[in-house]
C-alpha cells in the first residue's frame, strides 16, 4: 500500500487526476504558480536519477542523429509552418501562432518520464529535450526574423537560457547524487522515484489549466474548439511520427521521437511574447496540457506494440 508504488503502477491515471483537478478546481492554480519552476527542476532531477549514468552518458555517441532530429523538429518544421502561413495569409491568426510556437519549441521536461511509463528507456527523450533546449536560441532566431510580431528575441533568449540552466543543474545534481548514494538502487527505490515523479507531474498541471476553465464558463464552444485543436495537433504529430519511424528505428527511439513530436514546451514563450500575442494563446496553452497528460493512456497501445515488434 505504499502510495508511491501505487502512483507508479497507475501513472497514467494519476496524470488524469491531476488534469481533472486543474480543470475543476481553478482556485488551486493561483498558489501553485509560484511552485511551477521548482516542480520543473524536481521532475528533471527525479527523471535523471532513475537513469543509469553510464547509459545516459555512453549513449551520446548518436549525437549527430539527435542533432538532426532537433533541427528537423525545431527549425525545418516551423519554417514550413511560416511559409504556409504567409502563402495563406494566416500569420496573424491565433490558430497559426499556436501551431508555430508548438513547432518551434523543444520537448517538454516530462517526455522522458512518459517514455518510462510506456516501458521504454528514457535516455533518448532526455537527450532530445536537453539538446533541443540548448540550441533553441539558434533555431528560433530565423522564426523571429520572419515573424517580428512574436516579440523581443532578447527576452526569449533570457528565458531559454534560464530553462537550460535549470535542466543542466538538475541533470548534474541527479547524476552526482546517483553516483554518491544510489549506485545500485533496488527495484523498491526505483518504484519510489517513479511514483514521486508521477505525482510531481500531476501536481504541476494544476497551475496551467485555469485559462481553459475560465473560457469554458464564458464560451463552451470556443473552449471545445481549442481542446479539439490541441488534441489534433498533439496526437496527430505523434501518430505521424510513429508510423514514419516504427519500422526504421528501435522501439525506444521511435517512442521517444513520437512523444517529443507531439509534446512540446509551448509555455516557454509565455514570459517572452508580448501580452497582446499571448492573450489569445493562453487557452491553447492550457488546452494543450490535455492531450499531453492523456498521452500515456491514449498512445500506450501504439508504443507498447512498437516495443513488442522491436
Amino acid at each position: 500500500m505504499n502510495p508511491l508504488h501505487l502512483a507508479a503502477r497507475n501513472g497514467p491515471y494519476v496524470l488524469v487526476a491531476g488534469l481533472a483537478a486543474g480543470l475543476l478546481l481553478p482556485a488551486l492554480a493561483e498558489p501553485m504558480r509560484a511552485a511551477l519552476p521548482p516542480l520543473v527542476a524536481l521532475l528533471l532531477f527525479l527523471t535523471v536519477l532513475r537513469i543509469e549514468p553510464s547509459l545516459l552518458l555512453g549513449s551520446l555517441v548518436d549525437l549527430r542523429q539527435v542533432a538532426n532530429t532537433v533541427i528537423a523538429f525545431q527549425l525545418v518544421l516551423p519554417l514550413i509552418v511560416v511559409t504556409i502561413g504567409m502563402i495563406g495569409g494566416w500569420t496573424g491568426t491565433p490558430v497559426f501562432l499556436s501551431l508555430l510556437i508548438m513547432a518551434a519549441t523543444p520537448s517538454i521536461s516530462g517526455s522522458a518520464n512518459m517514455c518510462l511509463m510506456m516501458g521504454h528507456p528514457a535516455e533518448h527523450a532526455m537527450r532530445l529535450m536537453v539538446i533541443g533546449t540548448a540550441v533553441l536560441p539558434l533555431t528560433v532566431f530565423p522564426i523571429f526574423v520572419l515573424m517580428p510580431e512574436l516579440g523581443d528575441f532578447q527576452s526569449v533568449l533570457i528565458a531559454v537560457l534560464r530553462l537550460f540552466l535549470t535542466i543542466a543543474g538538475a541533470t548534474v545534481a541527479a547524476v552526482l547524487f546517483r553516483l554518491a548514494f544510489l549506485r545500485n538502487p533496488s527495484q523498491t527505490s526505483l518504484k519510489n522515484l517513479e511514483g514521486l515523479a508521477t505525482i510531481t507531474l500531476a501536481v504541476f498541471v494544476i497551475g496551467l489549466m485555469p485559462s481553459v476553465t475560465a473560457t469554458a464558463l464564458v464560451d463552451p464552444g470556443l473552449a471545445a474548439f481549442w481542446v479539439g485543436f490541441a488534441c489534433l495537433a498533439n496526437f496527430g504529430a505523434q501518430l505521424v511520427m510513429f508510423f514514419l519511424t516504427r519500422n526504421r528505428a528501435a522501439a525506444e527511439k521511435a517512442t521517444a521521437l513520437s512523444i517529443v513530436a507531439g509534446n512540446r514546451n509551448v509555455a516557454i514563450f509565455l514570459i517572452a511574447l508580448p501580452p497582446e500575442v499571448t492573450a489569445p494563446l493562453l487557452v491553447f496553452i492550457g488546452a494543450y496540457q490535455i492531450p499531453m497528460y492523456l498521452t500515456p493512456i491514449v498512445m500506450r497501445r501504439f508504443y507498447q506494440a512498437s516495443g513488442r515488434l522491436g
Side-chain angles (χ1 to χ4, degrees):
M1 295 301 293
N2 184 328
L4 296 180
H5 288 195
L6 288 174
R9 284 197 299 270
N10 301 281
Y13 304 103
V14 174
L15 297 187
V16 171
L19 193 63
L23 286 169
L24 300 176
L25 303 171
L28 293 177
E30 193 61 37
M32 282 297 306
R33 284 175 183 164
L36 292 181
L39 285 174
V40 170
L42 176 60
L43 178 61
L44 288 168
F45 178 82
L46 293 172
T47 302
V48 178
L49 196 59
R50 294 161 61 196
I51 301 172
E52 171 61 41
S54 62
L55 294 177
L56 182 65
L57 299 176
S59 55
L60 289 177
V61 293
D62 65 348
L63 181 60
R64 177 183 295 182
Q65 182 182 6
V66 172
N68 289 339
T69 301
V70 168
I71 291 171
F73 279 2
Q74 295 177 212
L75 181 59
V76 177
L77 181 59
L79 286 176
I80 292 173
V81 172
V82 168
T83 301
I84 294 173
M86 287 181 171
I87 292 174
W90 304 312
T91 55
T93 64
V95 169
F96 168 80
L97 292 174
S98 298
L99 277 177
L100 182 59
I101 65 170
M102 173 185 166
T105 49
S107 166
I108 59 169
S109 58
S111 59
N113 203 59
M114 288 185 181
C115 284
L116 291 168
M117 287 185 186
M118 306 295 181
H120 292 295
E123 293 85 16
H124 197 67
M126 193 74 186
R127 291 193 301 277
L128 287 170
M129 178 194 64
V130 172
I131 295 175
T133 303
V135 303
L136 182 58
L138 299 176
T139 58
V140 82
F141 180 75
I143 310 303
F144 273 74
V145 171
L146 293 171
M147 297 287 298
E149 59 264 46
L150 284 178
D152 179 12
F153 176 74
Q154 183 178 357
S155 299
V156 175
L157 176 62
I158 294 172
V160 170
L161 289 176
R162 185 183 300 116
L163 180 62
F164 176 69
L165 288 174
T166 300
I167 292 173
T171 300
V172 171
V175 169
L176 293 177
F177 188 92
R178 172 101 182 213
L179 292 174
F181 303 106
L182 283 173
R183 283 188 174 272
N184 296 296
S186 65
Q187 286 301 311
T188 298
S189 298
L190 291 175
K191 278 292 182 183
N192 286 336
L193 292 173
E194 183 180 352
L196 185 56
T198 301
I199 293 171
T200 302
L201 264 174
V203 172
F204 179 80
V205 74
I206 294 174
L208 298 175
M209 297 307 298
S211 58
V212 178
T213 302
T215 302
L217 292 174
V218 176
D219 190 341
L222 181 61
F225 166 79
W226 280 112
V227 171
F229 175 70
C231 289
L232 179 63
N234 187 312
F235 292 139
Q238 290 191 65
L239 286 171
V240 168
M241 185 56 59
F242 174 77
F243 287 113
L244 286 175
T245 59
R246 62 174 179 169
N247 296 321
R248 301 178 183 177
E252 61 269 19
K253 288 189 177 181
T255 298
L257 288 169
S258 302
I259 289 175
V260 170
N263 292 284
R264 307 292 191 92
N265 188 10
V266 295
I268 191 173
F269 284 138
L270 271 181
I271 58 177
L273 298 179
E276 61 269 19
V277 175
T278 59
L281 303 181
L282 289 176
V283 181
F284 169 74
I285 292 173
Y288 188 71
Q289 311 305 309
I290 294 175
M292 187 185 300
Y293 277 70
L294 290 178
T295 287
I297 291 179
V298 175
M299 299 298 294
R300 177 187 287 182
R301 180 170 62 87
F302 293 96
Y303 298 142
Q304 290 184 343
S306 172
R308 287 192 295 269
L309 291 174

